[in-house]
Amino acid sequence: MKVLLIIFFCLSHNAQASFFPNISGKTLNGDEFTTPENFEKAINVVVVAFKHSQQEMVDTWLKPLTKIENENTKIKFYEFPVMARMSSWKRWMIYNGMKMGISDLEQRSRTISFHIDKKPFKEALEITNEDNIYLFIVKRDGTVKGSIEGVYSQDKLRSLRHLISNR
């Protein structure tokens, strides 16, 4: 049992935020989205990325998260590309570029781009750098149940399932 706990803590994000911050953005379908009020399910898995180059890292989680969501109607996952504030022209270009890359309407509805002051966001979630992606397991009210850092692996999937089942 001790070995399992050590593995779990190594895979999970070291710090533990208690509440997902209130931020507003837009889905790739053009709908406004505000956290945590627009979280749809009892448990929400939020995949946060900071750089376009991290999309491949995010993609490693898409099939496992889709499977988890299909197995349990109380779970929904989201992709949150988080970017710094910028001019409306730059935002429009990035938003439309992302939208052109995703034709599936369901995936567009779960992909919400945020153009925010990243420093308070990262502080609230205790993110120390932008070089990795982060999965946050968040209740509908915004309470963070746990987090996992990095690309998909079987061990991280087990940790995710453990965090989801431990309500």
Side-chain angles (χ1 to χ4, degrees):
M1 186 63 167
K2 287 182 183 178
V3 173
L4 178 61
L5 291 174
I6 290 169
I7 291 171
F8 174 74
F9 286 116
C10 289
L11 292 173
S12 295
H13 184 233
N14 293 334
Q16 178 60 53
S18 59
F19 200 77
F20 202 88
N22 181 289
I23 56 174
S24 293
K26 240 185 202 183
T27 72
L28 293 186
N29 287 331
D31 301 318
E32 297 292 325
F33 190 97
T34 300
T35 64
E37 68 187 59
N38 289 131
F39 285 139
E40 294 179 32
K41 302 291 182 162
I43 301 294
N44 303 276
V45 180
V46 178
V47 183
V48 175
F50 295 98
K51 302 172 185 177
H52 175 71
S53 61
Q54 293 172 326
Q55 187 59 49
E56 287 181 17
M57 297 168 78
V58 171
D59 290 347
T60 66
W61 282 100
L62 296 183
K63 283 184 182 178
L65 290 173
T66 299
K67 183 176 180 188
I68 288 171
E69 190 177 89
N70 289 337
E71 293 170 353
N72 189 332
T73 60
K74 295 180 181 180
I75 296 172
K76 177 158 179 130
F77 80 91
Y78 298 91
E79 291 182 55
F80 283 12
V82 175
M83 297 161 268
R85 288 191 172 123
M86 59 187 70
S87 71
S88 58
W89 172 247
K90 270 185 156 177
R91 251 190 346 262
W92 181 85
M93 298 244 327
I94 290 171
Y95 177 83
N96 281 305
M98 290 169 50
K99 188 175 176 179
M100 287 176 60
I102 301 173
S103 59
D104 181 77
L105 291 178
E106 176 63 27
Q107 189 175 355
R108 282 185 182 180
S109 72
R110 74 171 73 249
T111 304
I112 300 99
S113 64
F114 295 94
H115 298 272
I116 59 172
D117 182 358
K118 292 191 288 183
K119 186 178 182 207
F121 175 79
K122 292 189 310 185
E123 286 173 354
L125 293 173
E126 301 180 17
I127 295 172
T128 57
N129 71 69
E130 297 182 13
D131 294 331
N132 222 335
I133 64 168
Y134 300 86
L135 279 71
F136 292 93
I137 298 78
V138 186
K139 290 182 165 184
R140 186 179 303 196
D141 68 359
T143 303
V144 176
K145 293 181 55 166
S147 61
I148 296 171
E149 182 177 345
V151 298
Y152 166 84
S153 72
Q154 285 291 332
D155 289 335
K156 290 178 186 179
L157 180 60
R158 278 191 288 279
S159 293
L160 175 63
R161 288 186 180 279
H162 176 77
L163 288 167
I164 288 170
S165 66
N166 262 353
R167 292 184 212 192

